[in-house]
């Protein structure tokens, strides 16, 4: 479960049983939408690291850049999310292909792609 308590500050602290993350509405930290996009980038890194571990190589030096592109309805619609990966020189073509394939199956991306089947509920507790 994820929980937050609304207060009068520009900060939004979200907690789970073990962790806490903080967002902001004043530009001092990422806002929740930016955090969502950052989560997609972090997921790509997780899958790159997993692939490297399976390949028995270091993930050191892999650089991942992600960019969201708004849809026709404006900045709150995500039409495309581009992930670009740069590899250090020592990576072979086969290793690069395996890592890119792994990143393509990031769990967060999969949830977003299947999103239309997600039922969101908002109710008073």
């Amino acid at each position: 479960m994820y929980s937050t308590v609304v207060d009068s500050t520009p900060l939004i602290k979200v907690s789970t049983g073990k962790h806490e993350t903080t967002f902001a509405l004043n530009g001092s930290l990422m806002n929740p939408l930016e955090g969502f996009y950052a989560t997609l980038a972090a997921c790509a890194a997780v899958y790159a690291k997993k692939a490297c571990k399976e390949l028995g190589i270091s993930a050191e030096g892999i650089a991942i850049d992600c960019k969201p592109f708004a849809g026709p309805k404006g900045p709150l619609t995500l039409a495309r999310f581009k992930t670009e990966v740069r590899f250090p020189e020592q990576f072979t073509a086969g290793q690069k292909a395996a890592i890119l394939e792994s990143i393509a199956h990031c769990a967060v991306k999969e949830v977003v792609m299947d999103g239309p089947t997600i039922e969101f509920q908002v109710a008073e507790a």
Side-chain angles (χ1 to χ4, degrees):
M1 174 169 294
Y2 299 85
S3 301
T4 186
V5 176
V6 179
D7 62 21
S8 61
T9 72
L11 300 180
I12 301 167
K13 294 182 182 184
V14 179
S15 301
T16 67
K18 295 181 181 180
H19 306 285
E20 181 176 276
T21 190
T22 304
F23 300 101
L25 300 178
N26 64 359
S28 63
L29 297 170
M30 283 190 264
N31 66 46
L33 184 59
E34 292 167 327
F36 168 70
Y37 295 144
T39 299
L40 284 164
C43 191
V46 166
Y47 277 71
K49 286 183 174 196
K50 283 182 176 182
C52 287
K53 184 176 182 181
E54 289 174 8
L55 293 168
I57 58 176
S58 171
E60 187 78 29
I62 294 174
I64 301 172
D65 294 324
C66 297
K67 183 175 181 182
F69 292 86
K73 293 182 181 177
L76 295 181
T77 60
L78 181 62
R80 186 165 57 106
F81 193 83
K82 185 176 182 179
T83 303
E84 295 182 332
V85 183
R86 292 183 309 284
F87 296 94
E89 290 181 17
Q90 72 269 19
F91 282 76
T92 67
Q95 291 168 332
K96 291 176 183 179
I99 294 164
L100 291 172
E101 177 66 20
S102 181
I103 290 170
H105 295 288
C106 155
V108 176
K109 179 190 72 71
E110 297 290 335
V111 168
V112 172
M113 287 178 55
D114 292 339
T117 61
I118 298 171
E119 179 183 333
F120 288 92
Q121 298 177 336
V122 178
E124 184 176 347

